[in-house]
Amino acid sequence: MAGYADEDLIPISALQHYLFCPRQCALIHVDGLWAENRLTSEGKVLHERSDTPGHRTRAVEDHGVRCVRAMPLVHRRLGLTGRADVVEFPLDSEGCPAGPPRPVEHKRGNPKRLDHDRVQLAAQAICLEEMLGVEVPKGELFYHAVRRRETVTIDAHLRKVVERTVDEVRGYLETNTVPAAKQEPKCRNCSLLHLCMPAATGLSRRPGQYLIRSLRISLDTEGSP
Ligand code: SF4
């Protein structure tokens, strides 16, 4: 299928970073910065099991579902790539496909008011649709804090948000743009807080430039009489 080449694919994770904060997305995907905090470390541990590629077939008579873990995903038209924690394929009593596949994404915290997790799931569903040539009308978010699944309908709104976010992220990547920092309450949960320095870099878009400028000022000061 015609579409974006491998080197032009955008990771699905970039959509979530962008929806959290466009600057965080650009620092990670344009400048190549990364840092862990407690929240990202907990998420990483949680995904270790599902990130082991392979198949696990539950007994058909028990659940009638085949689970594929860490399934690689791609959407050539949009230029998206990623991995689904789990994709469930419903089976009938003969072991034949019995309904559309559904992506299942594991999350460490609680269900969220904002749509970020749902958009990530919708991006996975859209990838599955192009790869498998089937409709994927629903997915599931499993929140470990409450040990509960939320069924998400992959509706027109979520599909539009995915397409719009991909366009916006691609715009930053193609123009090598890092937006200026804007200090907000969410910065407290951002793993890049100490690299971004939103309180200090308001006008300077890149933390590296801020550090160089600070160093120059400090050397000038030391050298002055
Ligand atoms: S610290 Fe705040 S402004 Fe900076 S990347 Fe994180 S959320 Fe965005």
Side-chain angles (χ1 to χ4, degrees):
M1 166 179 289
Y4 285 96
D6 284 354
E7 59 272 24
D8 296 322
L9 299 177
I10 292 173
I12 291 174
S13 60
L15 309 189
Q16 266 208 310
H17 296 143
Y18 182 86
L19 292 170
F20 177 71
C21 168
R23 178 169 166 85
Q24 191 205 56
C25 177
L27 290 176
I28 295 170
H29 300 280
V30 176
D31 273 359
L33 299 179
W34 180 248
E36 297 279 357
N37 66 4
R38 182 181 58 82
L39 300 177
T40 57
S41 300
E42 284 176 8
K44 214 166 144 187
V45 170
L46 183 72
H47 284 90
E48 266 171 15
R49 184 160 173 269
S50 56
D51 273 352
T52 309
H55 300 253
R56 177 167 58 94
T57 307
R58 289 185 196 160
V60 171
E61 61 273 19
D62 284 349
H63 299 287
V65 168
R66 168 169 292 145
C67 299
V68 179
R69 298 192 306 271
M71 182 164 168
L73 300 172
V74 69
H75 195 291
R76 290 288 169 192
R77 180 180 65 77
L78 284 177
L80 265 184
T81 186
R83 277 214 282 193
D85 280 347
V86 176
V87 179
E88 292 184 345
F89 293 84
L91 303 174
D92 65 18
S93 57
E94 308 288 315
C96 298
R102 52 183 176 252
V104 182
E105 183 66 16
H106 288 242
K107 295 290 174 192
R108 49 165 287 288
N110 291 292
K112 318 273 190 325
R113 186 176 48 81
L114 296 169
D115 264 346
H116 304 179
D117 293 345
R118 293 177 202 100
V119 171
Q120 180 188 10
L121 196 68
Q124 295 177 357
I126 290 169
C127 288
L128 285 170
E129 286 182 339
E130 190 187 84
M131 291 165 62
L132 304 175
V134 295
E135 272 188 45
V136 179
K138 288 186 194 314
E140 310 264 348
L141 291 167
F142 180 78
Y143 288 98
H144 282 251
V146 289
R147 312 283 312 159
R148 177 160 69 72
R149 279 189 179 205
E150 174 189 321
T151 300
V152 176
T153 300
I154 313 299
D155 60 14
H157 164 72
L158 284 178
R159 289 168 189 271
K160 244 188 232 156
V161 178
V162 171
E163 299 232 2
R164 192 185 65 221
T165 309
V166 172
D167 278 350
E168 289 171 2
V169 171
R170 194 173 293 287
Y172 279 104
L173 294 180
E174 287 181 353
T175 55
N176 202 24
T177 300
V178 177
K182 188 170 158 216
Q183 196 167 21
E184 295 183 68
K186 68 184 175 189
C187 295
R188 283 198 299 271
N189 288 331
C190 177
S191 66
L192 298 190
L193 176 62
H194 299 297
L195 295 169
C196 170
M197 298 178 287
T201 57
L203 292 175
S204 174
R205 290 168 189 270
R206 291 201 150 95
Q209 288 170 3
Y210 165 77
L211 287 172
I212 289 166
R213 209 180 56 221
S214 305
L215 193 59
R216 280 205 189 111
I217 290 170
S218 131
L219 287 173
D220 285 352
T221 310
E222 277 174 21
S224 30

